[in-house]
């Protein structure tokens, strides 16, 4: 059964009385080569527990299950459960969990299914409407995963990989680059999905680092500064940090001791500079 075939998808829809829910971002992948590229990029082996976000009708799950030791697929739509039972029936290493990825206890899943596994890898073709919350949740909750190989809207991928000085550089770029090494995997055009969404996509592989990219004394303060700095990105750092709740004099002194011109904007600061600034507040 080729789950990337539009005829197969339509047959499944009819047989199970299933309709794609736009509100859940149900755009199903039609391109087998993208699935293989994602699985190759994630370097899946029998030693891995792979947690998949949003299996849909199981097209990526099937490929992962052929390569991984264990797969847990978290799908919010209960209407897809009978479909997944049918499409993934031949695999005995797949568990489908009917939960919201933003609420499910991933640590518990890892404890339960990852016991004899060396690595935990997260994968998925993410629903567009919650791409950023999913990524930030995974990172901020410090989910013990080695890598996160995910497809997302191209614009979000651009924001993640952006360098200082570019228009797309912001709090998301810093959060992901703080915790992960980021690699581009493949671009995916909108007509590779059924139904076709209004945007193109890209797959990124985020390899979680053992230690964050920059050392800071106080991570909470670091991210507070980043958030405040970008909350009004057109303002100077001095003004945006003040608007973000920091005392102007304290900001002025911290910028001076960090050697950062107070008229610069947050979007020009590298991760290292944010780290030096954050530590200057502390000292
Ligand atoms: N993996 C399939 C594919 O590539 O064809 C489906 C991908 S589709 C873009 C996104 C999937 O995520 C859908 O199956 C949708 O029901 C599921 N989903 C949406 N919101 C979710 C959530 N909060 N938690 C878990 N799954 C969710």
């Amino acid at each position: 059964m080729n789950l990337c075939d539009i005829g197969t998808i339509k047959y499944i829809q009819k047989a199970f009385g299933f309709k794609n829910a736009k509100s859940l971002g149900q755009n199903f992948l039609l391109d087998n080569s993208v699935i293989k590229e994602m699985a190759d990029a994630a370097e899946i082996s029998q030693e891995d527990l792979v947690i998949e976000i949003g299996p849909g009708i199981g097209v990526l799950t099937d490929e992962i299950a052929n390569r991984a030791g264990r797969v847990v697929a978290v799908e919010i739509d209960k209407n897809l459960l009978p479909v997944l039972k049918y499409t993934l029936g031949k695999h005995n290493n797949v568990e489908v969990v009917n939960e919201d990825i933003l609420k499910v206890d991933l640590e518990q899943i890892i404890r339960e299914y990852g016991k004899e596994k060396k690595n935990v890898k997260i994968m998925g073709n993410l629903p567009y409407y919650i791409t950023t919350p999913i990524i930030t949740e995974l990172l901020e909750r410090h989910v013990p995963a080695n890598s996160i190989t995910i497809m997302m809207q191209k614009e979000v991928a651009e924001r993640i990989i952006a360098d200082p000085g570019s228009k797309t550089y912001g709090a998301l770029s810093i959060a992901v680059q703080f915790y992960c090494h980021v690699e581009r995997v493949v671009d995916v055009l909108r007509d590779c999905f059924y139904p076709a969404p209004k945007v193109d996509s890209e797959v990124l592989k985020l390899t979680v680092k053992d230690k964050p990219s920059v050392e800071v004394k106080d991570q909470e303060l670091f991210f507070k500064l980043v958030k405040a700095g970008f909350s009004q990105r057109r303002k100077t750092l001095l003004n945006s940090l003040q608007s973000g709740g920091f005392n102007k004099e304290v900001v002025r002194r911290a910028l001076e001791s960090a050697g950062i011109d107070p008229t610069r904007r947050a979007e020009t600061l590298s991760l290292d500079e944010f780290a030096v600034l954050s530590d200057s507040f502390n000292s």
Side-chain angles (χ1 to χ4, degrees):
M1 187 174 21
N2 179 6
L3 296 173
C4 274
D5 176 58
I6 200 156
T8 310
I9 298 176
K10 285 187 173 165
Y11 165 76
I12 287 175
Q13 286 181 325
K14 203 165 167 206
F16 289 87
F18 174 81
K19 275 197 185 128
N20 290 47
K22 216 176 160 186
S23 62
L24 292 176
Q26 288 178 348
N27 304 97
F28 297 152
L29 195 53
L30 295 173
D31 192 326
N32 258 315
S33 64
V34 171
I35 286 159
K36 299 224 179 309
E37 279 186 77
M38 284 183 80
D40 287 348
E43 299 176 279
I44 307 168
S45 81
Q46 287 295 315
E47 298 192 290
D48 299 340
L49 161 67
V50 178
I51 300 176
E52 190 197 358
I53 302 168
I57 61 167
V59 67
L60 178 61
T61 331
D62 182 50
E63 183 66 31
I64 302 169
N66 285 332
R67 305 186 187 202
R70 200 92 167 97
V71 187
V72 177
V74 181
E75 172 57 61
I76 198 169
D77 187 354
K78 68 173 177 359
N79 296 321
L80 282 167
L81 301 184
V83 177
L84 288 165
K85 206 167 175 187
Y86 169 69
T87 57
L88 302 173
K90 64 173 182 205
H91 297 289
N92 57 11
N93 59 345
V94 179
E95 198 68 38
V96 177
V97 175
N98 182 208
E99 289 264 16
D100 180 343
I101 190 67
L102 294 176
K103 296 193 182 137
V104 70
D105 186 346
L106 286 174
E107 284 78 4
Q108 168 60 26
I109 288 182
I110 293 168
R111 274 196 301 276
E112 194 171 338
Y113 297 100
K115 267 182 216 128
E116 278 135 40
K117 298 286 166 283
K118 213 166 138 197
N119 312 300
V120 175
K121 295 177 178 171
I122 297 179
M123 295 188 73
N125 168 12
L126 299 185
Y128 294 137
Y129 75 108
I130 45 167
T131 301
T132 309
I134 292 176
I135 297 171
T136 43
E137 270 288 300
L138 292 174
L139 298 175
E140 282 169 11
R141 264 166 43 185
H142 299 286
V143 173
N146 305 78
S147 68
I148 306 171
T149 305
I150 41 179
M151 183 173 335
M152 67 200 78
Q153 191 175 332
K154 177 112 184 118
E155 285 72 17
V156 179
E158 296 293 352
R159 281 167 53 207
I160 289 177
I161 57 180
D163 288 323
S166 84
K167 273 194 190 135
T168 44
Y169 182 68
L172 182 65
S173 334
I174 293 185
V176 177
Q177 293 173 24
F178 183 82
Y179 292 113
C180 305
H181 171 68
V182 184
E183 284 165 89
R184 307 180 91 136
V185 177
V186 60
D187 283 320
V188 190
L189 294 176
R190 63 195 74 185
D191 56 13
C192 292
F193 298 90
Y194 175 78
K198 290 199 176 73
V199 290
D200 294 326
S201 292
E202 180 163 359
V203 179
L204 294 183
K205 179 179 182 186
L206 317 178
T207 305
V208 183
K209 296 184 170 184
D210 295 335
K211 278 196 307 191
S213 306
V214 289
E215 224 176 281
V216 285
K217 287 184 197 142
D218 181 346
Q219 278 193 20
E220 207 182 318
L221 174 64
F222 173 85
F223 283 109
K224 238 169 134 175
L225 280 169
V226 171
K227 200 172 159 210
F230 285 103
S231 62
Q232 288 170 305
R233 55 187 298 144
R234 304 201 61 76
K235 284 193 174 178
T236 64
L237 269 172
L238 188 60
N239 289 331
S240 62
L241 294 181
Q242 189 195 6
S243 309
F246 291 90
N247 175 286
K248 196 165 188 167
E249 260 325 293
V250 176
V251 173
R252 201 192 297 279
R253 264 184 273 129
L255 284 166
E256 195 183 327
S257 99
I260 295 170
D261 180 344
T263 63
R264 281 175 66 184
R265 293 177 181 165
E267 66 197 36
T268 69
L269 258 63
S270 66
L271 258 76
D272 283 310
E273 287 177 306
F274 265 113
V276 173
L277 179 60
S278 161
D279 284 353
S280 304
F281 270 83
N282 249 339
S283 57

